[in-house]
Amino acid sequence: MEINYKKLNPNGFQLLRFIQDVAIRFIIMFGGSSSGKSFSAAQIILIMTLLDGENTLVMRKVGASIEKTIYEDFKVAARLLHIDRLFKFQQNTIKCLLNGAKIDFSGLDNPEKIKGISNYKRILLEELSEFEEIDFKQLRKRLRGKKGQQIIATFNPIKETHWIKKKLFDVEKWHDVPMGVSIGGKDMPIELTTVKSIKMNEPKTILNPRTKEIEEQAPNMVIIQSTYLNNFWVVGSPCGTYGYYDEQCIADFEYDRQHDPDYYNVYALGEWGVIRTGSEFFGSFNRGKHSGEYKYNTSLPIHLSIDCNVLPYISVTYWQADLAINKILRQIDETCAESPNNTARKSAKLVAKRLNEMMYQDKIYLHGDVSTRASNTIDENNRSFLDLFISTLEKEGFDVVDCVGKKNPSVSMSGEFINAIFEEQLPGINISISENCNVSIEDYMSVQKDANGAILKTKVKNKTTLQTYEEHGHLSDTFRYVVCDILKDEFITFSNKRKRNLYARDGAIHFFNPDTECKYTNKVAYLSPNINGRFVLVKGCQCGDKWHITDVAYRETTSTDEIQKEISNYACSPTVIECADVYFPMVRQMREVANYEIRAMRESTDYDKRIAATSDYVKTSLLFNEKMLNDSAEYSQFMASLLDYNKDSDNKEASAVLSGFIAFVVKSFSA
């Protein structure tokens, strides 16, 4: 057999080199698009089928995608190598007419297809990143019984938390391999065989189960990384006499380099990364600009921020804040406590171990999700996740300061706040993430924004455990908690000055000072027992020409008995109940026993119209309770609903009731 070297790319030469090495079990070809990985694999497998007469199985995760992709590559490769007459092309099979060897094509839609693959010498996994880790594990176990059997895989790298990187690449020790290739005893020109990189794993020691002797296993895995610059049918051959210079393809990559560096990094340079969609929650986070090498600063305390969701892991991020002159926040580390360490105690022990490695001896300031305070029914004493986490750290010798708040910050507002910091809209505040926080960075770059500006937590299902969980967003939550805690004053100021809000006057919502003695002339409680599934009440007191919103109720609707009790707690005269006819019997019953005035009004038929009509009154005549905003979860939730209102959103409960309150007081108390 003679091979015309002008038919092959560097990927083809390297694959031909390693596919003939019986010690190599795994050949992984990855890198940028247009680097010729799949086409080179088709060429070399066709050549090897002629050479050794062995069978090959070509697989994609989804079988329906085979005919128009990798199967077509084999047909074109055979034609360009001028060997198509030596093969018979049938549906899902290519048969060699010289020796009877076959190349079968199959999808892995059904894991049962993994069985019975021992008859194949080679398996080609096209787009390995689409396969599950369990698929790869099963293939490794099932491919046995022949000397020199190999698994060849091609893929474009994506997120750094993908199982290929975590469970295949990162568990091995690697060394670089020279690029030189010899064919038939002849050394090929190095410029024809050079790719971006070639790495081989280190030898291992294994126990021979028959002889019980310790043996050295030769390196069995090679990684070939390539880019479009290694494809002679994109950039032309080094000598310029063959291949093809694709000006449009190169111009397209150059456009991405200038305008979408994240996309260019993955699809052109073949590096691990995240492809951004434009709808990210932290859309202003730029890895190149906002990350770097940030190590533990011994002069600053460490702030920990936790999220107690156990799947896919318990999330803990490590922060330091330098507030001496400007406000500089740095994330210096992360702990993602996967099973079996995804419990309060075990995750805390992992954190303690990491802190000890830093030789940290100062106080720990602990931030996190309010839900960590909830009672834990698993614990015999019903202690919360937070209690267990703190007590474990204290047993490990650390002094912990509990900084977990009474309420979580508004998701959408905290996202806007952090994005504004990244965009340098808030002078003197800076946030950076250490490059060693790979999982965090991937989360910050991947997590998407839903229609209301909150985090879109897409659920996935583990095919082994059958457990469903939210893949992204937990580390992003820890990010929000700690930033909004450390920069509490700045966050409140930012929240109150959202210019896009319907009610802001001069760019801000205005407050009265509750510590100042006020002379109130009129008081009104206005409520809806059920608006969009919530009981919402506004209590306002007139002070001169202003109305102070002194108190609110904002909670899930319960029974009419509970609603009556809640209304009675405010005991304000008059109390105005805006409701559907079904609540009128409740109103009559309350009137019989109440010692204050209770009025009933039918529900508005057009909340948006009433909200629009009363919005100016909010700007000119209403003041809110800043102390309650900071101390009351309900008041904070009410204000978040109020500030998040727009007529296209379902989040209008607070605005609807407040507009009813305004309409009533204007009609009843205006001169």
Side-chain angles (χ1 to χ4, degrees):
M1 181 186 296
E2 292 185 3
I3 301 173
N4 181 351
Y5 71 86
K6 291 187 177 182
K7 299 292 184 182
L8 300 183
N9 254 322
N11 265 321
F13 285 113
Q14 296 298 343
L15 181 56
L16 187 62
R17 167 191 181 184
F18 292 110
I19 205 170
Q20 297 180 79
D21 187 342
V22 295
I24 300 297
R25 173 76 164 177
F26 306 100
I27 304 174
I28 313 294
M29 303 172 68
F30 85 106
S33 64
S34 301
S35 62
K37 300 182 295 295
S38 298
F39 193 77
S40 293
Q43 287 181 311
I44 302 309
I45 287 174
L46 286 166
I47 291 170
M48 293 304 299
T49 303
L50 288 171
L51 185 64
D52 62 15
E54 294 285 358
N55 297 332
T56 298
L57 176 62
V58 180
M59 304 190 82
R60 286 200 67 165
K61 180 63 175 176
V62 179
S65 61
I66 286 177
E67 185 177 358
K68 299 296 184 183
T69 55
I70 188 65
Y71 184 81
E72 189 64 25
D73 282 343
F74 272 80
K75 291 175 67 176
V76 174
R79 187 171 67 250
L80 293 180
L81 288 171
H82 304 298
I83 57 174
D84 49 322
R85 60 187 175 80
L86 304 179
F87 292 90
K88 183 177 181 180
F89 294 86
Q90 302 169 304
Q91 185 176 11
N92 295 327
T93 298
I94 299 174
K95 188 172 183 180
C96 181
L97 299 177
L98 293 183
N99 53 33
K102 61 180 181 175
I103 304 170
D104 289 330
F105 296 80
S106 175
L108 200 61
D109 314 73
N110 182 354
E112 289 294 312
K113 293 181 180 179
I114 293 177
K115 296 179 179 179
I117 64 172
S118 58
N119 190 42
Y120 294 98
K121 176 73 173 291
R122 291 173 284 269
I123 296 178
L124 171 62
L125 301 179
E126 174 73 2
E127 300 293 352
L128 178 63
S129 56
E130 296 177 357
F131 289 80
E132 304 289 337
E133 182 186 2
I134 188 64
D135 299 331
F136 190 73
K137 284 183 176 179
Q138 285 296 313
L139 286 165
R140 293 172 67 167
K141 294 292 183 289
R142 299 282 180 177
L143 190 66
R144 59 182 184 269
K146 279 178 175 257
K147 185 177 181 180
Q149 287 179 309
Q150 291 176 327
I151 294 177
I152 305 160
T154 68
F155 73 98
N156 296 106
I158 44 175
K159 57 187 181 182
E160 294 189 73
T161 55
H162 197 282
W163 69 264
I164 298 175
K165 187 173 188 302
K166 290 175 63 179
K167 302 296 180 67
L168 201 60
F169 285 18
D170 291 351
V171 298
E172 298 280 352
K173 293 182 179 179
W174 302 95
H175 64 269
D176 292 324
V177 176
M179 302 283 181
V181 175
S182 296
I183 297 180
K186 178 182 178 181
D187 292 337
M188 300 303 300
I190 193 67
E191 63 268 19
L192 301 185
T193 63
T194 298
V195 292
K196 186 172 184 178
S197 72
I198 305 175
K199 295 183 182 298
M200 185 176 289
N201 64 346
E202 297 290 340
K204 298 182 179 68
T205 54
I206 61 174
L207 176 66
N208 186 316
R210 182 177 59 83
T211 65
K212 309 302 180 184
E213 297 290 331
I214 300 295
E215 300 176 351
E216 182 177 279
Q217 182 194 30
N220 69 345
M221 184 182 297
V222 65
I223 295 175
I224 304 169
Q225 185 184 20
S226 57
T227 76
Y228 72 100
L229 298 172
N230 307 129
N231 187 347
F232 299 157
W233 277 261
V234 172
V235 298
S237 67
C239 62
T241 61
Y242 65 96
Y244 174 66
Y245 177 71
D246 193 333
E247 180 182 1
Q248 294 298 333
C249 181
I250 292 172
D252 193 57
F253 279 121
E254 181 62 18
Y255 179 88
D256 290 335
R257 185 185 70 81
Q258 296 182 32
H259 298 95
D260 194 344
D262 292 322
Y263 194 89
Y264 180 81
N265 191 53
V266 173
Y267 280 103
L269 302 184
E271 297 294 343
W272 296 97
V274 175
I275 302 302
R276 312 205 78 173
T277 66
S279 59
E280 285 78 18
F281 183 73
F282 295 123
S284 300
F285 174 66
N286 182 314
R287 183 171 189 170
K289 184 178 181 181
H290 301 123
S291 65
E293 186 176 351
Y294 302 109
K295 296 182 179 180
Y296 163 53
N297 184 338
T298 56
S299 65
L300 296 173
I302 287 179
H303 296 255
L304 298 178
S305 187
I306 58 174
D307 184 276
C308 61
N309 284 278
V310 298
L311 294 175
Y313 40 69
I314 289 174
S315 307
V316 185
T317 50
Y318 301 64
W319 297 80
Q320 292 192 289
D322 185 352
L323 310 177
I325 302 175
N326 293 320
K327 298 182 185 298
I328 301 172
L329 275 66
R330 299 281 185 263
Q331 182 182 346
I332 60 169
D333 215 328
E334 64 186 5
T335 293
C336 300
E338 297 178 297
S339 178
N341 293 311
N342 54 345
T343 67
R345 290 189 179 93
K346 289 183 178 180
S347 60
K349 287 184 177 180
L350 287 181
V351 170
K353 179 182 178 183
R354 184 70 190 101
L355 292 171
N356 284 324
E357 289 171 350
M358 297 179 187
M359 294 186 289
Y360 185 72
Q361 297 178 338
D362 204 345
K363 288 182 179 179
I364 297 170
Y365 294 87
L366 186 62
H367 310 261
D369 189 352
V370 171
S371 67
T372 59
R373 294 193 183 280
S375 296
N376 188 339
T377 55
I378 298 176
D379 181 64
E380 59 185 11
N381 297 316
N382 291 333
R383 287 178 294 177
S384 69
F385 177 98
L386 186 63
D387 291 335
L388 294 171
F389 194 90
I390 291 175
S391 65
T392 304
L393 286 177
E394 289 175 340
K395 288 179 181 177
E396 296 289 330
F398 293 99
D399 185 6
V400 182
V401 179
D402 181 358
C403 300
V404 177
K406 297 179 181 177
K407 61 181 184 299
N408 289 333
S410 163
V411 181
S412 58
M413 181 58 67
S414 57
E416 289 186 29
F417 179 58
I418 292 170
N419 281 319
I421 295 173
F422 284 141
E423 291 169 8
E424 300 180 2
Q425 294 179 13
L426 305 177
I429 304 178
N430 180 274
I431 299 175
S432 297
I433 316 298
S434 180
E435 274 291 350
N436 64 295
C437 303
N438 290 318
V439 185
S440 295
I441 290 174
E442 193 264 313
D443 198 75
Y444 304 158
M445 294 181 69
S446 299
V447 70
Q448 301 291 294
K449 183 165 55 178
D450 68 14
N452 297 316
I455 291 177
L456 178 64
K457 293 187 176 179
T458 305
K459 292 192 175 182
V460 297
K461 189 172 185 177
N462 186 302
K463 294 188 177 181
T464 304
T465 65
L466 303 181
Q467 293 173 302
T468 301
Y469 58 90
E470 295 162 343
E471 183 178 19
H472 290 116
H474 308 299
L475 286 157
S476 293
D477 279 337
T478 71
F479 188 3
R480 295 189 306 106
Y481 301 145
V482 70
V483 169
C484 292
D485 281 349
I486 295 175
L487 303 177
K488 181 179 179 181
D489 292 340
E490 290 79 7
F491 176 58
I492 291 173
T493 301
F494 178 85
S495 301
N496 294 334
K497 290 185 177 180
R498 281 195 309 183
K499 294 183 180 295
R500 67 180 178 85
N501 179 260
L502 177 67
Y503 303 112
R505 169 166 54 95
D506 302 326
I509 293 290
H510 289 262
F511 298 89
F512 67 91
N513 185 352
D515 297 327
T516 301
E517 186 176 349
C518 298
K519 185 177 180 180
Y520 292 133
T521 54
N522 294 294
K523 298 180 181 181
V524 174
Y526 194 97
L527 67 102
S528 172
N530 188 341
I531 177 168
N532 290 345
R534 288 188 180 275
F535 166 69
V536 182
L537 177 147
V538 171
K539 183 179 178 181
C541 301
Q542 189 176 17
C543 181
D545 62 346
K546 305 292 185 184
W547 281 83
H548 295 179
I549 305 303
T550 58
D551 207 350
V552 301
Y554 187 81
R555 64 197 66 168
E556 298 293 333
T557 296
T558 55
S559 67
T560 54
D561 289 341
E562 291 296 322
I563 291 172
Q564 288 184 60
K565 290 180 182 178
E566 291 296 333
I567 296 172
S568 299
N569 289 337
Y570 293 89
C572 185
S573 185
T575 293
V576 184
I577 303 174
E578 180 182 347
C579 58
D581 292 354
V582 68
Y583 286 98
F584 283 5
M586 180 193 77
V587 175
R588 287 194 293 269
Q589 184 179 355
M590 291 186 66
R591 283 174 174 165
E592 293 174 0
V593 297
N595 57 0
Y596 52 92
E597 181 184 2
I598 296 178
R599 302 187 190 184
M601 297 181 63
R602 281 191 167 82
E603 284 182 312
S604 171
T605 57
D606 192 339
Y607 288 126
D608 291 315
K609 183 177 180 180
R610 190 172 75 186
I611 292 168
T614 58
S615 61
D616 284 343
Y617 192 89
V618 178
K619 300 175 186 178
T620 59
S621 302
L622 287 193
L623 298 175
F624 294 90
N625 190 331
E626 188 170 16
K627 182 175 176 59
M628 291 289 289
L629 174 65
N630 296 330
D631 295 342
S632 166
E634 281 190 67
Y635 205 102
S636 176
Q637 290 169 352
F638 175 88
M639 291 298 292
S641 173
L642 191 70
L643 296 172
D644 285 338
Y645 167 77
N646 67 73
K647 66 179 182 179
D648 297 322
S649 169
D650 292 332
N651 187 7
K652 60 184 66 177
E653 301 93 343
S655 293
V657 174
L658 186 66
S659 68
F661 167 84
I662 294 169
F664 178 81
V665 300
V666 168
K667 182 178 180 180
S668 303
F669 301 104
S670 293

